[in-house]
Amino acid sequence: MHKPLAKLNTASPNRDMAKDPSLDAAYALETPEDSKQLYASWADSYDSDFARISDYILPEAVARHFVNIGGFGPVLDVGAGTGLCGTALRARGIEDIDGTDISADMLKVAKTKGIYRTTRVENLFDGLATPHGPYQGAVSSGTFTNGHVGPNGIKPILAAVRSGGRVVISVNTKHYAAAGFEDIFAQLETEIDDLTTTEAAIYGPSASGDHAKDTALLVAFRRT
Ligand SMILES: C[S@@+](CC[C@H](N)C(=O)[O-])C[C@H]1O[C@@H](n2cnc3c(N)ncnc32)[C@H](O)[C@@H]1O
């Protein structure tokens, strides 16, 4: 089912994404409902096909950056998917990781990895629950990208994090410029500090094809 990066086609928004999950289909999504539909059909093969074949290293980079800037748990993994970023956080000793995602099917796979304290099916745009109180930190890998979540996903994350908490969010580099992320961070000037953006590869050296050299910005900040 998966197409290696080298063979990815440009997807039309009209094609049946549920039957044909791929990176281009993901980039062509338009609504949260589209995400649910696409990821329902992608969940079972996401790790073994997409992540493995594409040499998808972004979740590792987000987790490493979070730890490097002094982040610690409890931490919320936003758009946790199948749990790749949570797994990378746990490997670095972070504890009390909760996962949230709009796709119940992706979270079902994440749960099998036994690393999340809790998982919750939530649409980020409707706000994020904090049943244990605000989080000490938050991460997000691969969710702020074309066809998924734009700058309006930043405030709900900030609202779920306590004062002093650290946040690392990857934003696809082209999406960052096109969707106006600079404006949202300017608006939040008094609510965040230590804002940095660090460019990172999304895919590792064995990736090939149109997207192989795509990058993301690791946007890191502290809630004031
Ligand atoms: C490319 S996957 C990334 C998953 C994981 N973080 C990773 O790096 O492998 C994007 C994830 O964002 C989720 N997503 C998309 N829109 C969302 C929304 N509005 N609220 C919450 N999750 C959303 C999708 O269901 C999907 O699991």
Side-chain angles (χ1 to χ4, degrees):
M1 176 176 60
H2 169 83
K3 296 169 185 163
L5 286 175
K7 293 185 181 164
L8 282 172
N9 298 320
T10 301
S12 141
N14 296 324
R15 90 186 198 196
D16 187 348
M17 293 164 194
K19 290 188 186 135
D20 190 13
S22 70
L23 188 56
D24 280 337
Y27 280 179
L29 299 177
E30 290 179 356
T31 67
E33 203 46 51
D34 288 347
S35 280
K36 275 197 221 169
Q37 195 189 350
L38 175 78
Y39 286 102
S41 58
W42 209 354
D44 287 341
S45 63
Y46 183 90
D47 286 2
S48 58
D49 289 357
F50 166 69
R52 187 180 60 81
I53 293 172
S54 306
D55 197 9
Y56 178 53
I57 58 173
L58 187 61
E60 286 280 344
V62 169
R64 189 168 57 241
H65 203 60
F66 181 74
V67 172
N68 285 348
I69 63 164
F72 56 93
V75 57
L76 185 60
D77 181 3
V78 179
T82 60
L84 296 177
C85 194
T87 302
L89 285 171
R90 173 52 63 82
R92 286 170 174 75
I94 301 292
E95 297 207 334
D96 294 334
I97 308 165
D98 292 346
T100 177
D101 198 288
I102 201 169
S103 168
D105 298 275
M106 292 289 271
L107 286 182
K108 196 170 154 199
V109 176
K111 271 193 250 181
T112 65
K113 297 179 180 172
I115 43 147
Y116 289 100
R117 179 177 61 175
T118 62
T119 57
R120 287 187 297 277
V121 178
E122 294 172 309
N123 180 351
L124 172 58
F125 301 129
D126 294 336
L128 299 171
T130 55
H132 304 277
Y135 286 89
Q136 190 59 55
V139 294
S140 186
S141 158
T143 295
F144 286 79
T145 192
N146 309 308
H148 288 57
V149 175
N152 51 352
I154 300 291
K155 283 185 184 172
I157 295 181
L158 200 59
V161 173
R162 69 178 56 152
S163 175
R166 298 276 176 184
V167 177
V168 176
I169 294 166
S170 78
V171 184
N172 177 288
T173 303
K174 286 182 188 154
H175 186 52
Y176 188 96
F181 279 85
E182 266 187 21
D183 293 347
I184 188 75
F185 291 118
Q187 279 171 37
L188 292 172
E189 197 183 7
T190 58
E191 291 167 62
I192 62 175
D193 60 17
D194 288 356
L195 177 67
T196 59
T197 53
T198 308
E199 193 166 16
I202 299 176
Y203 306 102
S206 61
S208 61
D210 291 349
H211 295 287
K213 300 289 179 207
D214 284 3
T215 63
L217 297 176
L218 305 182
V219 183
F221 54 86
R222 195 183 74 100
R223 182 175 177 167
T224 52

